[in-house]
Amino acid sequence: MTGGSMRVSQEGARRMDWDELLWEIPVIGRDFEVLLPIENLELLRGPMGSITRAGDDVRVQPELLVRQWVGHAPEFMEIREGSGFVRVGLVDHHALLLPDTSIVIVDRAMSPVHRLCVPGDNVLASSRFGHIASD
């Protein structure tokens, strides 16, 4: 991720209950984005498939992820059903609804680690991320 995308403003954010996120917020049409700082990784993002509860965790399942390393073209990472999901601990994380309707998941230190992007702000349809959609 670039330094600019790491800093997600939490101004005006409202803390969400996990049940609200799981049952009341449609995730289809949103992208899931990894905000964790990974050296030389500019982008790790893709369209949502589902978000479900599994015990004390929430499982986030993107349909696929687009990954881009510094200086390289974006590449697709296919996600198989039942694998490739991201675990988010219900106790260790909080969900914040931002004024733009994106949802940021923060850790105990309130550092943003994941984001459910604004509906329609999709990596596969946006020239902002380069020409990466394939047939």
Side-chain angles (χ1 to χ4, degrees):
M1 301 266 139
T2 59
S5 62
M6 283 305 305
R7 288 184 282 277
V8 175
S9 172
Q10 298 175 23
E11 187 174 346
R14 174 178 67 81
R15 185 167 165 175
M16 301 177 69
D17 182 88
W18 282 114
D19 287 338
E20 180 184 3
L21 176 58
L22 290 166
W23 305 112
E24 298 178 23
I25 302 292
V27 296
I28 302 301
R30 292 179 182 268
D31 270 12
F32 174 76
E33 183 175 11
V34 177
L35 299 174
L36 295 169
I38 301 170
E39 188 175 0
N40 293 323
L41 185 65
E42 290 188 343
L43 177 72
L44 187 55
R45 178 173 172 178
M48 284 292 299
S50 65
I51 185 167
T52 56
R53 184 170 180 172
D56 290 334
D57 293 332
V58 167
R59 287 184 179 178
V60 179
Q61 179 78 56
E63 291 182 343
L64 60 89
L65 288 171
V66 176
R67 176 177 63 186
Q68 184 173 11
W69 298 101
V70 171
H72 292 83
E75 58 184 341
F76 292 103
M77 299 171 58
E78 291 191 33
I79 309 296
R80 289 195 207 113
E81 182 87 19
S83 67
F85 56 81
V86 176
R87 278 187 200 271
V88 176
L90 292 170
V91 175
D92 298 325
H93 297 86
H94 303 294
L96 304 176
L97 180 64
L98 300 184
D100 66 357
T101 74
S102 63
I103 297 166
V104 172
I105 297 171
V106 297
D107 62 16
R108 286 186 180 203
M110 297 300 287
S111 298
V113 291
H114 303 106
R115 173 168 46 194
L116 302 182
C117 299
V118 176
D121 182 13
N122 303 110
V123 67
L124 297 179
S126 176
S127 60
R128 194 173 63 169
F129 303 106
H131 194 64
I132 56 176
S134 70
D135 35 87

